[in-house]
Amino acid sequence: MLPHVHRVTKYDPVHRDRHGHYTGTEPAVSDHGPVEAAYLEAVQAFAEESGVHRLAVREPQVGGFVHFGVEPAADDDGLSGLFPEGLAGFHDGAQVSMDIALALVRAMLRDSGAWCRLEAEGAFAVHVGWDQYLYVGSHLPCPGAVARTRSLGLFPERLDASPYDVDVDPGAVQRPADDEFWAHLRYVVGRHRATFLEENHVGNASRWHRLTADTVDAVRSRLTPRAQLAVWPDLLTDVGTAMAALPEEGLVEIVWERADGRVTSVVAEETAFEAVASQVAGARAAAVVPLDVDGRRPLCTAVLPDADGVLRARWRTEATPATGPGPCSRPCGAARPSPARWPRSTLPAARRWTSAAPARRSTPRRAPGTPSTGPPTPSTSPSDGRSRP
């Protein structure tokens, strides 16, 4: 936790009630103009005084089925042109220049869909809450940046900590997707002949890969850094049987294998089932996967470590009772200590994506103080000071 934290807003503290809620007339959206530019200049001032010129993306997410922003989400989540690799470049640990970092902050201020923390470990952090509440932390007091922020017409206020800081759980554990994990996965693939690997490298999005004895290494080489992984048995059945398993209502994930072998998934509610069924009609096979935690039971879960073998990602998969001998005969979430816990998202979006592009999910931002490494849900809080629907 950084020792010097400021909440930066356009809201004059004079217009707050005794609970800290803002009662003035400033709108809770970005003006896409001079006020927004002042926010970005304030971030840059704090970063420069902290001696920081590059930042790491942490716990990224994109928009999903449910959008809680005041402004409409952008089709590209505000990421267009920021990462040469497209969405694959927006992953935990990605290093970005200050220009890209400021573009991400702008996207968050505009409720475009993309969200993340931006950090320089031990030196600087910035993240955006609801309603134009921005939080900056530094290892230095940054008096120059504070003065500059005031001169821009914004209001920097000292806090003991940001309500969106990562909640560290020193007792939590997480199975890393290390060489031992992949050796066991080859065993699982051999036992089941075919399995599926679900890859989540960004909140609210997933990709599915079919695994066979001949494709495990190739799939491993294409995974996005620090992704959450879930190993599934061959869920697919004939299309008619799968479609008959659709519930009368609620959200489910529909996975199908196209004629060309690509695995596609979509998350839909009952109003979209008919449209999805028409897309799935020509598939080789399909499956309906529950989204609730109790009904969603992969064989094993893990998180990709960095190239040096260290697990630095702070988000966590749900522990699952794994099958078969080897390292995953214990719960997959019980291998090494982890710094934090972030539950899986459970409300995906009704959009169609192929194995080359993730299917969208929806995990809204959490309320300040909720144990999570992910962003908070809309709420009324003394910190953000506004009531959200």
Side-chain angles (χ1 to χ4, degrees):
M1 184 180 297
L2 294 167
H4 305 281
V5 178
H6 287 85
R7 179 177 66 185
V8 175
T9 72
K10 58 183 177 179
Y11 308 122
D12 191 334
V14 170
H15 301 295
R16 291 190 184 276
D17 63 20
R18 62 189 182 88
H19 300 293
H21 297 172
Y22 178 67
T23 60
T25 59
E26 280 287 345
V29 295
S30 173
D31 67 344
H32 295 227
V35 178
E36 178 184 272
Y39 272 93
L40 301 181
E41 190 170 339
V43 172
Q44 186 158 16
F46 275 97
E48 288 179 354
E49 195 162 350
S50 301
V52 170
H53 304 287
R54 293 185 67 80
L55 293 168
V57 171
R58 303 307 308 267
E59 294 83 43
Q61 77 168 40
V62 290
F65 186 79
V66 181
H67 179 66
F68 291 94
V70 176
E71 295 189 65
D75 289 340
D76 63 357
D77 295 301
L79 297 174
S80 180
L82 299 186
F83 297 94
E85 311 92 329
L87 187 59
F90 186 49
H91 64 79
D92 191 83
Q95 294 287 324
V96 298
S97 66
M98 189 54 60
D99 286 344
I100 298 299
L102 292 176
L104 289 170
V105 172
R106 180 188 296 113
M108 290 184 270
L109 289 170
R110 294 182 179 184
D111 289 327
S112 296
W115 191 92
C116 66
R117 295 180 176 87
L118 292 162
E119 301 178 2
E121 187 174 1
F124 180 77
V126 59
H127 37 262
V128 178
W130 294 107
D131 302 331
Q132 310 296 290
Y133 279 73
L134 182 142
Y135 300 86
V136 291
S138 177
H139 64 126
L140 300 173
C142 299
V146 171
R148 177 59 181 153
T149 299
R150 289 197 181 102
S151 73
L152 291 167
L154 301 178
F155 300 93
E157 301 169 80
R158 275 299 306 269
L159 298 177
D160 292 332
S162 166
Y164 303 138
D165 280 342
V166 173
D167 184 50
V168 177
D169 181 0
V173 290
Q174 171 63 52
R175 179 76 177 92
D178 54 12
D179 289 341
E180 188 181 18
F181 167 86
W182 289 99
H184 178 64
L185 182 54
R186 291 185 186 90
Y187 165 83
V188 173
V189 170
R191 179 179 175 182
H192 293 274
R193 297 194 177 180
T195 61
F196 286 91
L197 184 70
E198 183 186 9
E199 172 194 3
N200 295 89
H201 81 276
V202 59
N204 299 336
S206 64
R207 296 196 301 177
W208 289 76
H209 310 272
R210 176 181 277 279
L211 297 178
T212 66
D214 297 327
T215 63
V216 171
D217 291 336
V219 169
R220 181 183 182 183
S221 69
R222 297 196 301 268
L223 295 175
T224 309
R226 300 188 182 181
Q228 302 172 80
L229 306 178
V231 180
W232 295 85
D234 192 344
L235 302 169
L236 301 187
T237 182
D238 65 272
V239 173
T241 302
M243 293 299 99
L246 288 170
E248 291 185 4
E249 61 180 18
L251 286 167
V252 295
E253 185 162 12
I254 303 167
V255 183
W256 70 96
E257 187 172 21
R258 298 171 56 168
D260 60 7
R262 286 188 295 171
V263 180
T264 301
S265 74
V266 64
V267 179
E269 59 184 352
E270 64 277 4
T271 57
F273 287 167
E274 185 175 349
V276 174
S278 66
Q279 297 180 41
V280 178
R284 291 180 180 174
V288 175
V289 183
L291 294 177
D292 60 282
V293 173
D294 290 336
R296 200 172 176 89
R297 296 287 186 179
L299 296 172
C300 192
T301 61
V303 175
L304 281 174
D306 289 347
D308 60 4
V310 177
L311 184 60
R312 294 186 176 90
R314 297 182 298 216
W315 48 30
R316 293 296 174 253
T317 59
E318 295 292 337
T320 59
T323 58
C328 285
S329 58
R330 60 183 179 273
C332 276
R336 293 183 184 174
S338 68
R341 184 188 302 273
W342 190 20
R344 289 176 55 83
S345 55
T346 57
L347 294 174
R351 291 181 64 178
R352 178 175 181 273
W353 299 85
T354 68
S355 57
R360 298 306 180 88
R361 301 181 180 276
S362 176
T363 303
R365 301 178 190 178
R366 290 182 170 270
T370 303
S372 170
T373 61
T377 50
S379 67
T380 301
S381 76
S383 299
D384 278 15
R386 285 179 178 268
S387 178
R388 298 304 302 266

